[in-house]
Each structure stands twice: as C-alpha cells, then as structure tokens.
Amino acid sequence: MSYLREELIEKRDYQLHIAASALRGNTLVVLPTGLGKTIIAIMVIAEVLERKGGKILFLAPTKPLVVQHAKSIKKLMNIEEEKVVVFTGDVKKATRPAMWKEAQIIVSTPQVIQNDIISGDISLDEVSLVIFDEAHRAVGNYAYVFIAQEYAKKEDHLILAITASPGGSEEKIMEIIENLGIENVEIRTDDDPDVKPYIKGFKMRYVELPMPAALKDLYAKLKELRDDIIAELRKFGLFVTVRSVSRKDIIMEQRSVQAQIQEGKSEYYQAAMLLNMAIKIDYALEYLETQGFESCFNYLMKLIEEGNSKGGSKASRTLVRHRKFIEIVKLARELQRKIDEIDNPKIEALKKIIKKKLDTAPESRIIVFTHYRDTAQIVADALEKEGFKAVRFVGQANKGEDKGMNQKKQVEIINRFRNGEYNVLVATSVAEEGLDIPATDMVIFYEPVPSEIRYIQRRGRTGRTSIGEVVILTIKGTRDIAYLWSSKKKERKMKNELLWLRMFLKDKVKESKRRIFPEEEKDKVATESNEKKDEGEAPKHAVASHSRNGQLTLLEFENVKAEKPIIYVDTREFRSEVVKQLADEFRIVPVQMSVGDYIISEEVAIERKTTNDFLESLRDGRLFTQLKKLKNEYQKPVIIIEGDTLFSRGFHENAIYGALASVVMDFSVPVIFTKNAKETAKLIAAMRQRTGKGYREIPVRKNITTMSDEERQRFIVESLPNVSATLSKRLLEHFGSVRNVIDAEVGELINVRGIGRKTAEEIHEIINKKYQKKKD
C-alpha cells in the first residue's frame, strides 16, 4: 500500500529530489514561499511510514497552522482519519496520553509536546520522524530546541526542518543547524533552474509619501524631548561612540547600566529611568512616523494613563510630569480636535491603490499588512467607510483591552475572504506565517519591516499562481526608509549566506555517520520516485515492523518513570528553563497551584521569582499575600530569587532591603538567590534529594476550582486525621468512593496498607463526632 494519494499530488522534480535527500539524515530544507514545503514533508512521512512504521510528529508554531497541516495530511495521504490527531493547548492534558498512544501522526504546537515530555506523559521513543515547520524559530529557548535535544537521545532519529527564510546571518543559520542537529541541507532560491519554472514572481513598487505639514511641529517636539533625554544620558558616559542613537543602542546600554548598579553605583538608577523614558518617547516617534497621528495619539494617552496609575513605573510617572511632554500632549490634543482636517497620507494612498486594483480586476484579493493591531483597526475602519469589503485579521492572544481572534473566527474570515465576501484583509503578523490564506493578487505593506524574514513572508503571500503585486508605503525622511533598506540588505545577505552554505557546507556541518536508510536504499528511493512520475506507479516497499529490539513497552516505560523522584510543578512554570533542567532527573507532575511553584515534599514548597517578578510583586502588594498563603499551607516554604540584581527599575535599595528583611524576620521564610535557571534547577534538585522520600505521593494545595474529580476526592480524604496523599489514594482505591471511606468501620479501615488501629480509630471518631461550635 502506498501512503500517498498519488492522484492528488503534482510531483515536481525538486520536491522528489529534496524528499529523497531528506532520508539521508536530519535535513534542513530552505525553499521559497509557495513551492510546496508541506508536499515535501508529506512525501517524507509516507516513505518513513512505509519503511519503518512508528509515529510521526509534525510540529508547527501556531494553532491554525497545526489544523491546516492535519487537514492536508488527511486529504493527501491514505491513512485512517482517527490516526491523525491534533494537539494544541485546547486539547485537555488528561486526554493527550491516550490520544498519543493510538495515533500514527501527531500534528502539534511545540509547547504542548514540550510540556508532555517534561511531565512524562509521552515518550519520543516510538517516533520515527519529527518535522519542524517554520524552522527559523529553532533558536534561543523556543520549544523546538528542547524537543530536538530530547529526540536526539534516540539513536535512530530523523528530523526534517522546513522554512522559507532561516535568517540573514551565518550565526543565525548555524544556530538553527546546531539546535536541530542538522546533517544535510537542501537549499533552493528563486534563481535555481529546477524551481524557476514554478515561480510566477511579482512586481514591486515603493510609494514615498510626505509627512503632513500639520504634524511636523509635533514630530519636532517629540524628537527634541528624545534628544534632551539622550543628552542627559551622555553625562553618564553612555553612547560615547554613537552619533545617531537608535532604540537598539538604548536597549544595549540598559545592560551596561544594570552592571553599574550591581557594582553599587546608585547614581545609575537615574540613568536606568532615563533609558526607559527614551524608549517610550522613541515608540511615540515610531507611531507618528510609520503609523500616523491617530495611532501616536492613542499611544500618548496610554502613557498618561500609565503614568497616573498606582502601578505605573517611575519612568512613566516622571515622563508625564515633564514640561516638554506636557507641551507635546497639549499640542496632540489640539490636533485631535481637528482630526478631520488632517489627512493620513498612507490611508489616502491605500484607498487609491486598492480602488485602482479593484476597478481593473474586480475579483482581486488584497492583503494589507500592518505592524500594530491599533493600526489594523484604524485602516480596516477607513477602508470600510470607503465602501471596500475590508476586514481586520489578528492573532489569538489578548493584548490589554484588545481581545484576540479565536481560531474559529480566523477560519471563518479566511473562508469569507476566499469566497469574496471580503476582498481586503487588513492583517498583523499572524497572516505572515504559514496560514492557508487563498491566492492573493496584491500585498501592501502599510509600513516596511526591518526583519528580512517578515519581509520575505509578507511578500510571499502573492505571486503563487500568477504574477502578483507588492506595494510598500513609506513616509519620506523617517525610519520607514531605514527599515526598508535594512530588510532589503538583510535579504541580500541571507541569500549570499545560503549560497555559501550550500557550497561549503562540509566545512561547517559535521559529517553524519548515521544513516536512517542505507545509501543504496536512498538511491533506490530517488530512482523509484522518478519512476513514479514517469509511469504513475507507486513503489512497493515492505512495511518494517513497528517494534524495535530492546525498546521498552509502554508499561515498562511507566515503571521506569515511576522510579524517578517526583516534583510537582505549577503549570505556569512549564515554559521556564528550570523545568527543562529538572526533567532529566525527576518525574515532573504538572498541577495548577493556588500557591507555590514547586512542591518537593509534604512540608516544603518553593516560590520561584525572577528579580523582575519579585519587584513587581513588591510593587503591587502580592508578595506578602503569597507569603501568608505559603506559611498557612506549608511548614517549610522557601523563596528563590533568580537573576543578576534586584537593584534596578527605580526601586530605592532601602525598600528592597526592607522587604527582604520582612520576608526573613516577620514570616520566617528563607530567601535564596540564584544567578540563572540552571542554578535554580540545581538548587531545587539538591533540596528534593535531601527529602529522601523517593517517589512517594505529595499532597498538593490547589485552588479547588481547578481540581479534577479525582483530585477533589483525594483532597477530601486527605483532610482525615493522619491521612497522607499516599494513604488517601490507597483508601479510595480500596473502598471505591469517598462515601464508602466515610462509612467504613475501624475493622475495615485497618485492612488498608498503612492504616493502623490508632489511625483507623481516629478517623472513625472524627467522622462520627458531634459538631460543636467553638465558643468565642
């Protein structure tokens, strides 16, 4: 049986070659947008299933992309639909292990898989292939990196990483290669002869617009305030070699200022505050330059609200009281009152460009990309008023008062865009990557983006089935121009790096001694793939056994897993590096806790705070509320503060020392400092080993509204005298329900292992004792 539905797949030479090459070892595929990266992935999946069996794990960074890939697999492969499952955060954790066990292909967001590996709910031992879609994300602490490292522990692992744009520097590309253990690279550019016939291309046009005269005074005043703040910062010896200070320069100087503060130079607290002020004003300038007055005005109002709020930072409070900022706000309010008289040049240009396109080609589909959600709303509203069938399209996350767009709504909008109910999609970055958005005739950049990856992905939304149009709007003399040339320069550099990498890969990427299939078998695959194209005939491969000698059964795996000591971890901690570090040595059990982050024994709970978390909890009063709860619930609570320094962000050192003194003296809670997540994990591991309690159950104090039925039952039984978490579980397993435990006689209770006569009598006594209200 061939897993591919041959009649639905147009096999292109470059796809067949790349798919065959990917069987040699861990492969990074770099292919321009719209050339069928998913088809290549499905070809490799089919070949691996036919030859090895096992499970396939297909990872994608967003929920809509996961659903889209699962849909493509079901459509293009001969496989039972129930064998293809989708894992996202919407799928209950309790149901995922059973789904994993039964599935053949799992399509998932990476965070879910990372969490389930850490908690021991799944094992990658049975996985024959892992696909990393949008592989340029495999940098830093992103979940792709952790999953690849865990999968690499399996000797016969195979990885396929796919992306349109891995990044503009050798360092970025080599980081991806290192993180994913890449042994083989397949790169195609627009100019390669085997892909060129399939690239329709696009016409690029740049539209340079003047800044409205009415805004030039506001622009000048914002620049003046920013320059004044930079001048004050130069007095601290900052920006010595920098003539024109960018936001990147400001962010870099924040690190040097923190280092000065750590050395006890308290005068640098003022510099830290000024740097934050400079960043805020720089954002206001960016809004005015690239988005328009309305977006800038909304941002200024948010700054005022933040500066006047109880929880506002010192930088915000100082800024809104600055004489020049007050003048800026006064001028902005005057402009807002006559907003109808101020044209937004980009919106006016948009209207003309879209009207001209739809007049000449009424069935056209157009995407307008904007960087900010506020702008997307402003643009969509303006186009709707003009009579265009425009709709705003944003991501799922909530950002302040701006509620995200759930997956169902996103799919609905894309379908209505495809059907012509909408012909203009005004989208943020959510539409740049991977989503199954229908063929688009024109893409308009409301503003340039300095990232070459985003530049390529935006542009790649057109020119798939016919020659497309790309229009980039800029405001003359602003950072729009700098961003435009930055992205173009980075793209050229990325192309050069890819060509270099393809030519000289052997000097940079280790030669792999592993072979998933013998070399002669790989050649056979390539040959037969070409034969399939010529003869329309599927190759007949013997399906390898799904089992391997020496592999643990699921039952055996569970037994090995249980031998690890248990650490209970709050689910909100699962994205931290600490949990990843602990996962190798301990069985990590995720729970939703009402207090604490790590529970290592019945007596000890650990609250982990980064230095920023600690200061924020001190500012808003949560710190002492949390301490009271910890003391009430656990005999030995501990606070770990992780990071380089507490003495920053405008807090006076006396306030910080006072808070630490109160934690230790008033609450009798020890405070331990660590530099980073690695040190924190080592400390927690040492503390857990000191408990010497193996893998016994630990009672977890949780918010009862977040408990499952089983946890609620155990919680009730644990409240009985001398009943630990382990005894609670045994009692429920023996008697079958809370009711039966309550109704049990002493003679029945002592039949449960660990319940002696004394404990049984105390349980029976407290259950049957008449309630007497305590007298005041």
Side-chain angles (χ1 to χ4, degrees), residues 151-158 514 516:
Y151 187 46
K153 295 174 183 177
K154 179 176 180 285
E155 185 177 351
D156 58 339
H157 65 281
L158 180 62
R514 297 187 316 109
I516 304 306

Side-chain angles (χ1 to χ4, degrees), residues 354 358 362-366 379-392 413 416-417 419-426:
I354 293 171
L358 293 176
E363 299 303 313
S364 295
R365 302 289 185 276
I366 299 167
V379 170
D381 289 346
L383 294 177
E384 272 193 285
K385 285 180 183 176
E386 200 71 13
F388 298 114
K389 295 182 288 185
V391 63
R392 178 177 182 250
I413 287 176
R416 293 175 74 180
F417 183 61
N419 297 335
E421 293 178 61
Y422 298 120
N423 53 16
V424 182
L425 200 66
V426 184

